[in-house]
Structure formats: structure tokens, C-alpha cells
């Protein structure tokens, strides 16, 4: 099977201004992890452990955002030749945006947990995509997603807190896999939602 793998570069900023959160009512979310999503979480935590780093608690809020974004990327295709995989369509309960390589619209990513959930902090995403000409229903495998991120210095730095991410204290993580997309969302704020479990 011939596969093309695309990995999107993450923005290179840590010190940012948190956008003002608008008044909103509490949001109710329902989320669980597929076996593949849980496997990816475990693989990432094993990788962090190998690098002397602690585990990051699973976040229902960030898992919800990760899963919603994977579905948006597949169903609504906001990614174009100009807009990268951090982009969001206008077909959902979120603000749409075209995330360009200059990171001009980075706040669109950072704000998504606040838009979709009760999570108060910023969210930082790494995204992976694999397309197979042999099957339109190909699903990204946890191992290949992590391998792709490990091979990309910018993404690897986020996962194992290197370089500009050295001072980031990840207290929440969300995992999403849907068809060829896999996303991981990192946050410094703790999540108050119940830790998600594997789907029945």
C-alpha cells in the first residue's frame, strides 16, 4: 500500500496572550476513546517516560476537541493549499479559520477548547494525516502517527517538552483519530471533567 504522509509544522511561540473568554453557559460533552486512540495515548506516555517525563492526564475536553477536529478535517475539508491542518470549517459550533503557515491565525487553535468545552486554558495541536490510494477508508495507525511526529523536530519538541516547549507544563491531553487524521491536543490547565474511558 502506497501512502503519502503529511505532517504540519506547529507554530513556534510559547509566550502568548490568552484571548478573552466570552460569557458562556456550561457546555455538556460526551466523549470516549476508541481502542486506537487509547493506544496512541499509551504510546505517547511510554515515549515521554523514556525521556524522563511524567504522564499527562487524559482530558475529556481536549479529547472532544481532538475528535471534533479530525471529523471536521475529513467531512468539511478546511485544509487547502493555503490553509493547513490547524484550520477549521464554518460547518460547526465553532469559529471558522484558515490557519496559514505564518501562524497569523494561531489564536483560532488556542481558543477551540474554550469554544467547544468548559476548559479554560489554551489548546495546542499537533496533527497528522495519511492518505492511501488503496482505500478511501484508511484509518491512521497510532504507531505511524507517533513515528511521524517523532521524525518532525517541531512536533517532537511539543511531545517531550524540548526547546521552546521546555517550560510548558502539560496537565491535560486529548487524542483524536478519524480515518486518515490523528490529532493530539495539549493544555497546561487541568481539566475538571471526568477522565474519558474506552468506548464500549
Amino acid at each position: 500500500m502506497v501512502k503519502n504522509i503529511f505532517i504540519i509544522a506547529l507554530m513556534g511561540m510559547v509566550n502568548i496572550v490568552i484571548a478573552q473568554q466570552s460569557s458562556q453557559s456550561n457546555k455538556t460533552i460526551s466523549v470516549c476513546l476508541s481502542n486506537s486512540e487509547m493506544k496512541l495515548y499509551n504510546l505517547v506516555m511510554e515515549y515521554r517516560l523514556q525521556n524522563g517525563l511524567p504522564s499527562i492526564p487524559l482530558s475529556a475536553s481536549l479529547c472532544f476537541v481532538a475528535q471534533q477536529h479530525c471529523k471536521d478535517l475529513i467531512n468539511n475539508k478546511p485544509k487547502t493549499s493555503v490553509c493547513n491542518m490547524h484550520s477549521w470549517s464554518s460547518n460547526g459550533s465553532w469559529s471558522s479559520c484558515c490557519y496559514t503557515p505564518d501562524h497569523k491565525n494561531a489564536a483560532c487553535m488556542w481558543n477551540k477548547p474554550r469554544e467547544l468545552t468548559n476548559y479554560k486554558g489554551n489548546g495546542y495541536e499537533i496533527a497528522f494525516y495519511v492518505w492511501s490510494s488503496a482505500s478511501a477508508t484508511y484509518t491512521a495507525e497510532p504507531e505511524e502517527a507517533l513515528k511521524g511526529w517523532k521524525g518532525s523536530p517541531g512536533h517532537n519538541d511539543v511531545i517531550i517538552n524540548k526547546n521552546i516547549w521546555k517550560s510548558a507544563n502539560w496537565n491535560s491531553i486529548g487524542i483524536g483519530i478519524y480515518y486518515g487524521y490523528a490529532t493530539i491536543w495539549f493544555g497546561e490547565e487541568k481539566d475538571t471533567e471526568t477522565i474519558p474511558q474506552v468506548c464500549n
Side-chain angles (χ1 to χ4, degrees):
M1 181 183 296
V2 177
K3 293 178 282 187
N4 293 318
I5 298 176
F6 302 90
I7 303 172
I8 193 70
L10 193 66
M11 50 65 178
M13 299 173 62
V14 175
N15 297 322
I16 53 88
V17 177
I18 298 177
Q20 193 77 15
Q21 182 180 10
S22 59
S23 299
Q24 61 179 9
S25 58
N26 284 343
K27 292 179 170 62
T28 302
I29 61 171
S30 177
V31 64
C32 60
L33 274 70
S34 68
N35 288 325
S36 290
E37 289 167 336
M38 184 59 80
K39 184 173 184 179
L40 178 55
Y41 169 74
N42 289 330
L43 287 173
V44 170
M45 293 309 105
E46 289 171 10
Y47 181 48
R48 283 178 58 83
L49 181 61
Q50 292 166 9
N51 284 273
L53 297 168
S55 291
I56 309 169
L58 269 172
S59 159
S61 299
L62 295 186
C63 284
F64 182 78
V65 175
Q67 293 172 3
Q68 289 297 305
H69 195 207
C70 285
K71 291 176 182 177
D72 185 45
L73 288 164
I74 285 289
N75 297 329
N76 301 312
K77 299 174 175 55
K79 178 185 177 297
T80 66
S81 59
V82 176
C83 310
N84 69 30
M85 282 192 282
H86 298 310
S87 301
W88 291 71
S89 77
S90 59
N91 298 320
S93 58
W94 51 72
S95 61
S96 63
C97 69
C98 172
Y99 197 117
T100 50
D102 60 7
H103 310 297
K104 183 178 179 180
N105 296 322
C108 174
M109 179 218 299
W110 301 333
N111 291 335
K112 282 298 173 287
R114 287 187 289 273
E115 289 184 27
L116 295 171
T117 72
N118 300 312
Y119 189 80
K120 305 300 183 185
N122 283 0
Y124 304 96
E125 176 186 56
I126 59 174
F128 172 90
Y129 176 63
V130 58
W131 175 81
S132 170
S133 60
S135 172
T137 60
Y138 185 84
T139 300
E141 294 291 338
E143 295 86 353
E144 66 183 341
L146 181 56
K147 181 180 179 181
W149 287 320
K150 287 168 70 173
S152 169
H155 295 86
N156 190 59
D157 287 352
V158 178
I159 297 171
I160 59 172
N161 294 105
K162 289 180 64 179
N163 296 317
I164 64 169
W165 300 99
K166 186 175 182 179
S167 62
N169 185 20
W170 301 138
N171 284 300
S172 298
I173 191 171
I175 310 289
I177 297 176
Y178 191 68
Y179 288 100
Y181 281 100
T183 65
I184 299 181
W185 285 70
F186 296 84
E188 295 193 273
E189 299 290 330
K190 294 181 179 179
D191 194 1
T192 58
E193 302 285 350
T194 303
I195 294 175
Q197 302 299 315
V198 174
C199 307
N200 292 327

